[in-house]
Amino acid sequence: MTDHKSVSIVMIEDDEGHARLIEKNIRRAGILNAITHFTDGTTALDYLFNSADGPQRNGPALVLLDLNLPDMSGTDILAKIKSTDGPLRRTPVVVLTTTDDKVEIQRCYDLGCNVYITKPVNYESFATAIRQLGLFLSVIQVPDIEPEG
């Protein structure tokens, strides 16, 4: 029997209010997985690729990604995650953003995002959307890291 590691959630979201709302409603949905929060892409990418407890070395993980970040676009981060060799490439990425531009949505799927969610403007709708995301997170399967050999 394999020992399944708990999937860690990496949240890349620069809006502290949105981040708190996301975490609170994921918890309300019964998701107890560790959530590591980053407010900019540079720090997040460093963690994803280089940190000893990051997904590239320690997976499995799931990334919640905002597209509008202060230092780089979320699509750049998505492209880096999905174009890498190694376990990080298989990490599910959920884009969670205010942008509902069809071209941007298409671009994210082309780059390899797994789910694209537009943040509702209304607080209650946003809270409901995140709770539903939490239910989704409770049932998805994420690939384990295979030992390099």
Side-chain angles (χ1 to χ4, degrees):
M1 185 162 134
T2 51
D3 176 30
H4 282 289
K5 259 194 200 156
S6 178
V7 175
S8 67
I9 298 170
V10 178
M11 176 170 43
I12 309 170
E13 166 64 75
D14 66 318
D15 183 312
E16 291 290 350
H18 285 179
R20 278 194 302 276
L21 190 62
I22 290 166
E23 183 159 0
K24 186 169 89 179
N25 285 288
I26 283 176
R27 298 293 181 226
R28 275 192 185 153
I31 302 293
L32 303 174
N33 306 44
I35 298 176
T36 310
H37 176 216
F38 297 95
T39 55
D40 68 272
T42 310
T43 317
L45 282 172
D46 185 52
Y47 172 80
L48 289 168
F49 283 94
N50 305 319
S51 175
D53 56 348
Q56 180 73 359
R57 297 191 179 166
N58 195 40
L62 175 120
V63 176
L64 299 179
L65 177 63
D66 184 17
L67 294 184
N68 309 308
L69 297 165
D71 58 339
M72 65 176 69
S73 86
T75 47
D76 290 344
I77 296 171
L78 176 61
K80 283 187 173 77
I81 290 172
K82 293 300 185 178
S83 65
T84 184
D85 278 337
L88 200 56
R89 188 169 45 105
R90 290 190 295 268
T91 298
V93 177
V94 176
V95 171
L96 198 59
T97 188
T98 50
T99 311
D100 63 357
D101 174 33
K102 287 184 180 15
V103 174
E104 194 70 359
I105 294 170
Q106 214 170 355
R107 190 159 152 234
C108 286
Y109 279 111
D110 287 347
L111 288 170
C113 95
N114 300 79
V115 181
Y116 190 107
I117 299 171
T118 304
K119 292 177 188 169
V121 180
N122 168 298
Y123 176 89
E124 262 317 302
S125 306
F126 189 33
T128 302
I130 299 302
R131 274 197 296 277
Q132 288 167 342
L133 173 65
L135 295 171
F136 171 73
L137 298 181
S138 70
V139 296
I140 65 166
Q141 291 287 317
V142 175
D144 280 337
I145 285 193
E146 292 151 15
E148 296 192 23

